[in-house]
Amino acid sequence: MPSAWDHFSQWSSTLADLAGVSALLGWDRETGMPHGGAETRAQQLGTLAAAYHRELVRPDLDGVLDELSGDDGLPPVRRRQVELARRDRARAARVPESLVRALSEAKSRSVAVWVDTRPAGDWGTFAPALAAVVELRRREAGYLADGGEPYDALLDVFEPGARAVDLEPLFRDLRARLVPLVERGTARPRRPFPRRRWPADAQLALARDVAELVGYDLTSGVITVSAHPFTISPGYGDVRFTTRLDEANPVGNVLTVLHEAGHALYEQGFPEEYRRTGLLDAPSLGAHESQSRFWENHVGRGAAFWRRMEPVMRGRFPQAMDGLGAEDLHAEATAVQRTLIRVEADEVTYNLHVALRFELELALVRGDLGVDDLPAAWDARMEELLGVRPTGPADGVMQDIHWAEGMFGYFPTYTLGSLYAAQIAETVDAELGGLSAAVEDGRLAEVLAVLRERVHRHARLLDTPELMRRATGRELSADALVAHLSRVVA
Amino acid sequence: MPSAWDHFSQWSSTLADLAGVSALLGWDRETGMPHGGAETRAQQLGTLAAAYHRELVRPDLDGVLDELSGDDGLPPVRRRQVELARRDRARAARVPESLVRALSEAKSRSVAVWVDTRPAGDWGTFAPALAAVVELRRREAGYLADGGEPYDALLDVFEPGARAVDLEPLFRDLRARLVPLVERGTARPRRPFPRRRWPADAQLALARDVAELVGYDLTSGVITVSAHPFTISPGYGDVRFTTRLDEANPVGNVLTVLHEAGHALYEQGFPEEYRRTGLLDAPSLGAHESQSRFWENHVGRGAAFWRRMEPVMRGRFPQAMDGLGAEDLHAEATAVQRTLIRVEADEVTYNLHVALRFELELALVRGDLGVDDLPAAWDARMEELLGVRPTGPADGVMQDIHWAEGMFGYFPTYTLGSLYAAQIAETVDAELGGLSAAVEDGRLAEVLAVLRERVHRHARLLDTPELMRRATGRELSADALVAHLSRVVA
C-alpha cells in the first residue's frame, strides 16, 4: 500500500507535469509554431486545462489531504505543500463549472476581438466583448470573496495575501511622490542617441553575453526572440526566455535581457528537491517581478553596469560603437519621458501607468465604473498623472491585452515587484558594501548569491509578504523605490 | 443530453489532443530543449502516456461504442472511427498494466544504456538490458497474439494487417533479386565528388527551396536541423520536419529534405474534416514510408530532378557549384556502395540492411535466436548479404536505436514503404505520361495532385493493403522496386 504521502506526491507530480507541458505549448506558440497550428494549439491548451482541473479537484484526494493535514509529525516542507494544494483545490471547487466554461469562452472571444480591433482602436466593437468578461469575472469574484472585497479574490490568484485596502494607500503615496520626480526627470537635457545600425544577429549574441554575465545557465535554458518578451519554464532544469531586437537601438534589448534573465535566474535558483512539486514556483507575481526589476533597474540602469558593458558591446558592434561610450549608453538607459505606452515607459514614469490601471480596474470590479465609461476615465486620468493624452483607444485604453484576457488584479503586481526590488537592492547594497561597486568590479556572482540565499532558494515555501520581510528586514513601502528614483533624476 | 456520437467525438478529440501534445514534446526535445530539461521531459512524456492510456480505456465508453456499433445508419466515415477506436482499446486492454509499466521501465533503461555504450560498442553491458526488453516484448506478444504468430502482434502496431507469413517470401524474393543489382551497381566506375565547402546557412535555405518546390506549405510547417532527421505533426495545420547538414556535401541534405517532405506532404494532405479525430493519420508506417521514398528515390534520384535543381543550387552556392553540373549531382545521388550503416545506405543496398534486421528480429521474437548469439549472427549475415563485415558492435548490431526501444516489427515497414513507393511511381508515371518528364517540365504540382487524390486524402480511412490496392491497382510485390533499381544500375 502506498502511504498517504506517496499518494499525494504522485498526484502533485502529475499536476506539475501537466502545468509544465502547458508552459511548453505556450513557449512554442510564441517562438516556433507555424501560423496554421493556432487553432489546434488553442484546443490542446483547453484540453490540458480541463485535464489539470479534473486532476486538481479529484475527490479521492480528500481523504489523503485530511490524513496529511492531521499528521502532526509531517515535516514543514511537506506541510506547506499540503496547505498550498488545499488552497488551490478550495479555490477551484468554489466556482461552478458552468461559470468556468463561460469565462473561458468569453475570454477567448474577447482576446480574439482585441487582436482584431486594437490596431485601429475600434473600441465600439471591443467594448461588448470586454463587458462580458468583466461581468463574468465579477460573478466569479462574488463566489470566491465570500462576502469580502471582490477585487481581493481576483488579486489573490496573482498575489496571495495582497488586499485592495493595503494597496490603495500604497499607490496614493507612490503617486504623490512620483509626479515631482517625473517633473525633474523630464526637465533634464536629453542626450540624443545617434542613428546607426545594430545588426540583429550580433544583438542576439549580445543577449547571450548579458545573460551569462549575470549568471544565467544556458545548459538549462534557451534564449530566442519573440514579439512580446517573456520567461517560461516547462519544468525543472529548463528555464527559457525571449527578448526583442530593435536594429536602431541596442539598449532596449540589453534591459529586456536583464529583466527576463532576472525572472529566469529566480527559477534556476529553485532547489532541485522541489522538482515536480507545488513548491517549484514563486509565491506570487510580485515576488517574481522583484527579481526582474532588480536586474533591469538596479543593475542595468546603473552607470557601473554600462562601464562593464562598453568593451563587450565594442566587440560585438565595432562600427556602431565608434565614438560612443558608457555614458551615452547609460544616458539612453535612464532617459525619462512622458509617453503613452506602458511597455515602452521608463522606470520613473512606469508605476504611474500601473497606478492608473489599478484605480480603473478596482472601480470596474467594484461596479463603480462601467465599461462604457472606461475610455473617458482613462484619457482624463492619463492627462492628470502623466500630462499626456492618448490619440485614441489604440494608444490608450486598448493598449494592453490583460483586461481582454480577464486578468484583473494582475497590474498591481508590477508595482509590488518594483517596490520589493528597490528594498532588495538596498539589502544587497548593504550586504556587499555597495551594489554599484560590486557591478563595477565584476562581482556579479556575489550579487546573485545574495538573491539565491535570501529569495530564490525559498521558492514557494513562504508567502510573499513573509519572504520579503525576512529578505529585506522591512515592511513593504514606497520609500526605497522613491529614494532610488530620486537618485536617478538627480 | 449529448448523443452517443457527441460523446464519442469529444473523447476522440481528447485522445487526439493528448497525442499531439506528446508529439510537440518530442519535437522540442530533439530541436530546442536544453540539456538540463531531459529528465523532466521524460517524466512529462510518461505522465502524458499514462493520461492517454487512462483516457483510451475509460470504461464509460463501452456503452457508447456498443450503441454506435449497433447503429446501422452510421455513415461509413464515422463507422470507421468507431472501429479503429475499438481496435485500439481492445489492444490496450489485453496487456496487464504491470507488464506495460515493466516494459516502459525496461525500455527507458535499455535506451539509456544504448546511448552510453553504443559509441564504444560495449555489447557486454548493453546485452542484459536488451535481453530484458526482448523477454518482456515476447510476453506482451503472447497476450496479444492469442495463440497466433507472436511477431504479428508486434508488427500490428506499426503495420496493421501485415503478417510474417507474407513478409518472409517477399523478403526472400527481394533479397535474391537485389544481390545481383548490388553487384552491378558497385561495379560501375565511381565519379569522385569534389572537396568543397557548402555553407550550412545556405543549405538550410536550400532545404526550404526544395520543400517549397515539391509543394510543402511553410505557413503550416517548420523546417529545422536535428541529429536524426524526422517528421512530426503536433496537430492539424502544423506538420514539421528536420534535416541534417553536411558542409562537405549537399546531396544528402537534398535527399533528406525530399524524404521528410514526402512524409510531411502526406500529412498536409489529410482532409481538414479529420482534424482531432483518429482518422488524421496514415494507416501504417509502410504507407507513410511510401510517400517519403517516392520523393526521395523516384523523384530525387532521377536525372531530371537534378537538372531542375542545378540553377537553384548555383544561386545558393555560386562558389561550390563552379564547374559542377547536374550530372555530377545526379551521379553522387545514385552511387552504390557496400557499407555498414543502414541510415547512410544507398537505395540499392538499403533493403538488404532491412532484410537482415527482419530475419534476426523474427528469430528473436520466435525464440529461435538468443540475444547472446545476436552479434555473431549479425556479422555473418552482413557478410553474406552485403559482402562487408562490421568492425565491431558499434557499426554492426548496435547501430540502430530501434531494438533498444523495443520496436520489433518496425524495420519491415521501411521495405514495405519502398515497395509501395515503386508501385506508386509506376502509377504516377502512367497517369502523367512519364514521371521524369513531369519533373523535367516543373509539373511537380501535378505529381503531388496524383498522390493527394490516390493516397493522402484517404488518411486512415482504409487499411494499407486496401489503400494501396486501390491506389496502384496491384497486389504488393517486389517487381516494381526491382525494375526501378535495375534502371538505376543500368
Side-chain angles (χ1 to χ4, degrees):
Chain A
M1 272 299 287
S3 69
W5 176 256
D6 290 343
H7 199 142
F8 173 83
S9 181
Q10 170 79 46
W11 173 73
S12 304
S13 301
T14 299
L15 287 172
D17 286 344
L18 292 173
V21 167
S22 292
L24 184 77
L25 264 65
W27 165 267
D28 180 78
R29 185 183 54 199
E30 304 304 323
T31 63
M33 187 185 77
H35 182 75
E39 189 178 333
T40 301
R41 182 57 46 86
Q43 289 163 328
Q44 290 168 339
L45 283 165
T47 293
L48 283 173
Y52 185 91
H53 180 85
R54 214 165 35 238
E55 189 71 27
L56 178 62
V57 301
R58 255 173 61 183
D60 61 323
L61 260 289
D62 282 337
V64 171
L65 290 167
D66 286 346
E67 184 181 335
L68 291 170
S69 296
D71 178 358
D72 293 333
L74 204 66
V77 169
R78 293 189 172 187
R79 178 165 299 284
R80 171 71 173 176
Q81 291 182 58
V82 173
E83 179 193 307
L84 288 170
R86 294 197 87 117
R87 206 196 264 178
D88 291 348
R89 272 167 75 88
R91 196 181 158 88
R94 220 173 282 153
V95 183
E97 226 180 288
S98 58
L99 179 55
V100 173
R101 204 170 313 116
L103 241 172
S104 162
E105 286 167 18
K107 286 192 279 190
S108 296
R109 199 165 38 246
S110 122
V111 167
V113 175
W114 179 81
V115 167
D116 289 345
T117 57
R118 190 219 159 175
D122 178 5
W123 171 257
T125 305
F126 175 55
L130 176 63
V133 172
V134 170
E135 175 51 29
L136 290 165
R137 286 290 272 163
R138 292 186 66 210
R139 278 180 50 204
E140 186 194 16
Y143 284 108
L144 291 167
D146 206 18
E149 166 83 45
Y151 185 80
D152 289 354
L154 304 182
L155 189 58
D156 189 64
V157 194
F158 307 115
E159 198 66 31
R163 296 179 309 165
V165 69
D166 300 322
L167 291 180
E168 286 193 278
L170 194 63
F171 271 104
R172 202 178 307 125
D173 178 43
L174 183 61
R175 238 164 34 212
R177 297 162 77 181
L178 283 179
V179 169
L181 294 179
V182 173
E183 202 61 56
R184 270 161 57 192
T186 51
R188 296 179 308 173
R190 178 106 200 260
R191 189 194 288 241
F193 198 71
R195 287 180 165 275
R196 290 179 186 171
R197 190 166 164 271
W198 307 76
D201 53 350
Q203 285 209 51
L204 191 56
L206 180 70
R208 296 208 181 88
D209 296 338
V210 172
E212 292 201 290
L213 182 71
V214 297
Y216 176 72
D217 175 7
L218 269 161
T219 68
S220 293
V222 177
I223 306 174
T224 187
V225 171
S226 70
H228 304 281
F230 67 105
T231 300
I232 208 163
S233 173
Y236 187 84
D238 188 354
V239 185
R240 310 174 181 196
F241 70 84
T242 68
T243 183
R244 186 169 40 184
L245 308 179
D246 173 2
E247 290 204 320
N249 192 324
V251 173
N253 173 31
V254 171
L255 293 175
T256 299
V257 169
L258 286 172
H259 181 101
E260 300 303 334
H263 283 304
L265 287 169
Y266 190 4
E267 303 221 2
Q268 288 193 333
F270 294 158
E272 179 160 12
E273 63 189 292
Y274 298 165
R275 171 198 282 270
R276 296 177 90 209
T277 74
L279 296 179
L280 196 78
D281 202 351
S284 75
L285 293 186
H288 228 308
E289 194 77 3
S290 77
Q291 299 304 297
S292 56
R293 297 286 167 186
F294 172 83
W295 289 100
E296 179 191 354
N297 294 338
H298 299 276
V299 174
R301 286 187 155 103
F305 174 76
W306 291 100
R307 283 194 289 272
R308 270 213 90 70
M309 283 306 293
E310 187 187 329
V312 179
M313 294 188 66
R314 209 170 290 288
R316 293 284 176 202
F317 308 96
Q319 278 150 34
M321 279 293 288
D322 186 44
L324 280 185
E327 326 75 54
D328 301 284
L329 298 164
H330 179 235
E332 183 65 12
T334 52
V336 181
Q337 276 184 290
R338 300 174 190 277
T339 56
L340 290 166
I341 304 293
R342 177 186 57 86
V343 296
E344 294 164 5
D346 56 79
E347 64 172 333
V348 180
T349 56
Y350 188 86
N351 291 294
L352 290 174
H353 289 269
V354 177
L356 162 78
R357 287 156 178 78
F358 168 65
E359 285 174 33
L360 296 180
E361 71 178 19
L362 181 60
L364 273 178
V365 173
R366 284 182 173 162
D368 297 341
L369 178 72
V371 167
D372 287 345
D373 299 323
L374 201 48
W378 179 290
D379 292 356
R381 202 63 182 120
M382 193 74 191
E383 197 148 14
E384 284 166 28
L385 290 175
L386 277 154
V388 284
R389 200 173 175 89
T391 62
D395 58 14
V397 68
M398 286 177 72
Q399 68 181 263
D400 296 311
I401 198 173
H402 301 57
W403 288 343
E405 281 187 321
M407 299 203 297
F408 301 99
Y410 189 110
F411 282 120
T413 70
Y414 291 128
T415 291
L416 290 172
S418 299
L419 300 177
Y420 287 132
Q423 296 189 182
I424 289 168
E426 291 190 350
T427 303
V428 175
D429 195 71
E431 190 158 334
L432 297 183
L435 170 56
S436 169
V439 173
E440 185 96 44
D441 303 347
R443 289 182 284 118
L444 288 165
E446 291 179 33
V447 176
L448 179 57
V450 176
L451 302 177
R452 286 267 145 96
E453 170 64 22
R454 290 183 178 260
V455 181
H456 303 181
R457 73 183 173 90
H458 301 289
R460 204 181 166 204
L461 210 50
L462 303 167
D463 277 338
T464 301
E466 180 60 18
L467 173 72
M468 291 299 169
R469 201 173 287 126
R470 294 196 197 177
T472 70
R474 267 179 297 166
E475 291 301 318
L476 180 64
S477 88
D479 294 348
L481 180 62
V482 169
H484 163 71
L485 295 177
S486 302
R487 288 189 297 271
V488 169
V489 299
Chain B
M1 270 298 289
S3 69
W5 176 256
D6 291 342
H7 199 142
F8 173 84
S9 182
Q10 170 80 47
W11 172 73
S12 303
S13 300
T14 299
L15 286 172
D17 287 343
L18 291 174
V21 167
S22 292
L24 183 77
L25 264 63
W27 166 267
D28 179 77
R29 185 184 55 198
E30 305 304 324
T31 64
M33 186 185 79
H35 183 75
E39 188 178 334
T40 301
R41 182 58 46 87
Q43 289 163 329
Q44 289 168 339
L45 282 165
T47 292
L48 283 172
Y52 185 92
H53 180 85
R54 213 165 37 235
E55 189 71 26
L56 178 61
V57 300
R58 254 172 60 181
D60 61 324
L61 260 291
D62 282 336
V64 172
L65 290 167
D66 286 345
E67 184 181 335
L68 291 170
S69 297
D71 177 358
D72 293 334
L74 205 66
V77 169
R78 293 188 173 187
R79 179 165 299 283
R80 170 71 173 175
Q81 290 182 58
V82 173
E83 179 193 308
L84 288 169
R86 293 196 88 117
R87 208 195 262 180
D88 291 348
R89 271 166 75 87
R91 197 182 158 86
R94 219 172 285 152
V95 182
E97 228 182 287
S98 58
L99 180 55
V100 172
R101 204 170 311 117
L103 240 172
S104 161
E105 286 168 18
K107 286 193 279 192
S108 296
R109 199 165 38 245
S110 121
V111 167
V113 174
W114 179 81
V115 167
D116 288 345
T117 57
R118 189 219 160 175
D122 177 5
W123 170 258
T125 305
F126 175 55
L130 176 63
V133 172
V134 171
E135 175 50 30
L136 290 165
R137 284 292 270 162
R138 292 187 65 208
R139 277 179 52 203
E140 185 194 17
Y143 283 108
L144 292 167
D146 206 19
E149 167 83 46
Y151 185 80
D152 289 355
L154 303 184
L155 191 56
D156 190 64
V157 193
F158 307 114
E159 199 65 30
R163 296 178 309 165
V165 70
D166 300 321
L167 292 180
E168 286 193 278
L170 193 64
F171 270 104
R172 203 178 307 126
D173 178 44
L174 183 62
R175 237 165 34 212
R177 296 162 78 180
L178 283 179
V179 168
L181 294 179
V182 172
E183 202 60 56
R184 271 160 59 193
T186 51
R188 296 179 308 173
R190 178 106 200 260
R191 189 191 286 240
F193 199 71
R195 287 181 166 275
R196 289 178 188 170
R197 189 167 164 271
W198 307 77
D201 54 350
Q203 285 210 52
L204 191 57
L206 179 69
R208 296 208 180 86
D209 295 338
V210 172
E212 292 201 291
L213 181 71
V214 298
Y216 176 72
D217 175 6
L218 270 162
T219 68
S220 293
V222 177
I223 306 175
T224 188
V225 172
S226 70
H228 304 282
F230 69 105
T231 300
I232 208 162
S233 173
Y236 187 84
D238 187 355
V239 185
R240 309 175 181 194
F241 71 83
T242 67
T243 183
R244 184 169 42 183
L245 308 179
D246 173 1
E247 290 204 319
N249 191 323
V251 173
N253 173 31
V254 172
L255 293 174
T256 298
V257 169
L258 286 171
H259 181 101
E260 301 303 335
H263 284 303
L265 286 168
Y266 191 4
E267 303 220 3
Q268 287 192 334
F270 294 157
E272 179 161 13
E273 63 189 292
Y274 298 165
R275 171 199 281 271
R276 294 177 93 208
T277 75
L279 296 178
L280 195 78
D281 201 351
S284 73
L285 293 186
H288 228 306
E289 194 77 3
S290 77
Q291 300 305 297
S292 57
R293 297 285 167 185
F294 172 84
W295 289 100
E296 178 190 355
N297 294 338
H298 300 276
V299 174
R301 287 187 155 103
F305 174 76
W306 291 99
R307 285 193 289 272
R308 271 213 90 69
M309 283 307 293
E310 187 187 331
V312 179
M313 294 187 65
R314 210 171 290 288
R316 291 287 177 201
F317 308 97
Q319 278 151 33
M321 279 294 287
D322 186 44
L324 280 185
E327 326 75 54
D328 300 285
L329 298 165
H330 178 236
E332 183 64 11
T334 52
V336 181
Q337 277 184 290
R338 301 174 189 277
T339 55
L340 292 166
I341 304 293
R342 177 184 58 86
V343 295
E344 293 164 5
D346 55 80
E347 64 171 334
V348 181
T349 56
Y350 188 86
N351 290 293
L352 291 174
H353 288 269
V354 177
L356 163 79
R357 286 156 179 77
F358 169 64
E359 287 175 32
L360 296 181
E361 71 178 19
L362 182 58
L364 273 179
V365 173
R366 284 181 172 163
D368 296 342
L369 179 71
V371 167
D372 287 345
D373 299 323
L374 202 48
W378 180 289
D379 291 357
R381 203 63 182 120
M382 193 73 191
E383 198 150 13
E384 284 166 29
L385 291 174
L386 276 155
V388 283
R389 199 172 177 89
T391 63
D395 58 15
V397 68
M398 286 176 72
Q399 68 181 263
D400 295 312
I401 198 174
H402 301 57
W403 289 344
E405 280 186 323
M407 298 203 297
F408 301 99
Y410 189 111
F411 282 120
T413 69
Y414 290 129
T415 291
L416 290 172
S418 299
L419 299 177
Y420 286 132
Q423 297 190 181
I424 290 168
E426 291 190 351
T427 303
V428 175
D429 194 71
E431 190 158 333
L432 297 184
L435 170 57
S436 169
V439 174
E440 185 95 45
D441 303 347
R443 291 181 284 117
L444 288 165
E446 293 180 31
V447 176
L448 179 57
V450 177
L451 302 177
R452 287 267 146 96
E453 170 63 22
R454 290 182 177 260
V455 181
H456 302 181
R457 72 183 173 91
H458 301 289
R460 203 180 165 205
L461 209 51
L462 302 166
D463 276 339
T464 302
E466 181 60 17
L467 173 72
M468 291 298 169
R469 201 173 287 126
R470 294 195 197 177
T472 70
R474 268 180 297 166
E475 292 301 318
L476 180 65
S477 87
D479 295 347
L481 180 61
V482 169
H484 164 72
L485 295 177
S486 302
R487 289 189 295 273
V488 169
V489 300

